[in-house]
Every structure is written in structure tokens, then in C-alpha cells.
Amino acid sequence: MHFTFGIIKPDAMENRAYGKILDDIAMAGFQLAELKLVKLTEEKAKNFYSMHEHKPFFDELIRYMCSAPVLCFVLQHEENAVEAFRALMGDTDPKKAEKNTLRAKYGKDITANAVHGSDSEESFMREWKFFFKEEELLFNK
Ligand code: CMP
């Protein structure tokens, strides 16, 4: 089994698209291995996105990620969970994302793009540990 980490972001929480997003994720063959509602502090958001610290969009990204609670989750998939979930999400920019991807369907713009997903195995290991404890995971890694 393979795993990836994801977040349903503030825009999709505030407009209540989170139910449809979780449904799309389940229908695409992913199983939830963990799920948690989190209100990010500025410090925690800055730490999570520290690799983007010097990018021009960083301040806006942090403000946005702290603007409402988010749903953090670990997903299990038969194979290539990281790549499979990235394909389901689509391009970072919802306007460029392929039809039927989560960001095309539920994202507003390049900042408020509905979902986050780990971009590699290394990111997955860092990101799930950022939000969950080993003993919280419902499936063995
Ligand atoms: P995410 O996959 O969570 O990773 C970094 C986030 O920064 C990205 O999704 C977007 O929400 C946000 N972002 C805003 N502007 C840009 C940009 N120009 N390029 C990449 N990410 C951006």
C-alpha cells in the first residue's frame, strides 16, 4: 500500500465543497488513513510552507492558509499514491488544471486552489509527521 498527505484548504472549507472533494477522493480509489480538522497558526503555516519563504506569494499564502480551519488527511492507494493524488488534484492553477480535476472543479485561483497534496515521498514523510502522530494512523506504514 502507498500513502500520501493532503489538505482541503480554507476556500473549500468556507464554501462547503469539502464533502464533494472527499467523495471524489473516495470514488478515485483512495482510502482515508487519517483525517483531522486543524486551525493553522501563522507560525505553523510558515513552518509547513518554509520552502516557499522567499517566493513572492508567501505572505498571501500564509494569510490564506490561516483564514479558516483546514482538513488534513493521509490517503492510502494501491500504488503510486503521491502521483495518483497529484493527478486527481490537477495543476496548481485551477485555470490551467484539466477538466474534472479537484482544482478545476473546486479551486478559485492559484492561491485558493482547494487542495494540497505531497509532491514526493520525502514531502509525504515530512508533511504527515507535521500533523499526525505515528500511533494515530489507522493503517500500518
Ligand atoms: P500547494 O500545493 O499547497 O503548494 C504551495 C501553494 O502556494 C500552492 O499550492 C498555492 O496555494 C500557493 N501559490 C500561490 N501562488 C503560487 C504560484 N505562483 N506558484 C505556486 N504556488 C502558488
Side-chain angles (χ1 to χ4, degrees), residues 2-114:
H2 293 247
F3 295 86
T4 192
F5 170 84
I7 302 177
I8 298 182
K9 297 187 179 184
D11 58 309
M13 298 302 292
E14 290 195 305
N15 68 19
R16 301 181 191 194
Y18 55 87
K20 289 181 190 152
I21 292 175
L22 286 176
D23 193 43
D24 284 3
I25 290 172
M27 290 301 116
F30 294 89
Q31 197 174 343
L32 277 173
E34 193 52 82
L35 179 68
K36 188 185 280 185
L37 189 62
V38 176
K39 179 76 168 72
L40 283 170
T41 60
E42 189 180 322
E43 187 190 0
K44 200 153 182 177
K46 281 183 172 168
N47 193 349
F48 184 76
Y49 279 121
S50 58
M51 71 295 289
H52 296 305
E53 203 177 339
H54 301 296
K55 307 262 175 71
F57 57 82
F58 185 67
D59 289 351
E60 191 188 350
L61 174 64
I62 300 307
R63 249 195 321 275
Y64 160 67
M65 288 302 292
C66 296
S67 66
V70 295
L71 265 183
C72 300
F73 50 83
V74 174
L75 298 176
Q76 191 176 18
H77 194 260
E78 268 180 25
E79 51 184 6
N80 301 328
V82 167
E83 290 78 15
F85 189 56
R86 288 181 69 74
L88 181 65
M89 287 193 301
D91 194 281
T92 307
D93 184 350
K95 289 173 193 71
K96 294 185 188 154
E98 273 183 52
K99 210 175 141 217
N100 284 326
T101 59
L102 298 177
R103 284 166 170 166
K105 285 170 77 175
Y106 307 110
K108 195 173 87 183
D109 55 46
I110 197 165
T111 301
N113 60 359

Side-chain angles (χ1 to χ4, degrees), residues 1-3 33 74 76 128 134-135 137-141:
M1 275 297 174
H2 293 247
F3 295 86
V74 174
Q76 191 176 18
W128 84 262
E134 183 91 44
E135 61 269 24
L137 282 187
L138 297 185
F139 301 96
N140 288 333
K141 290 207 357 60

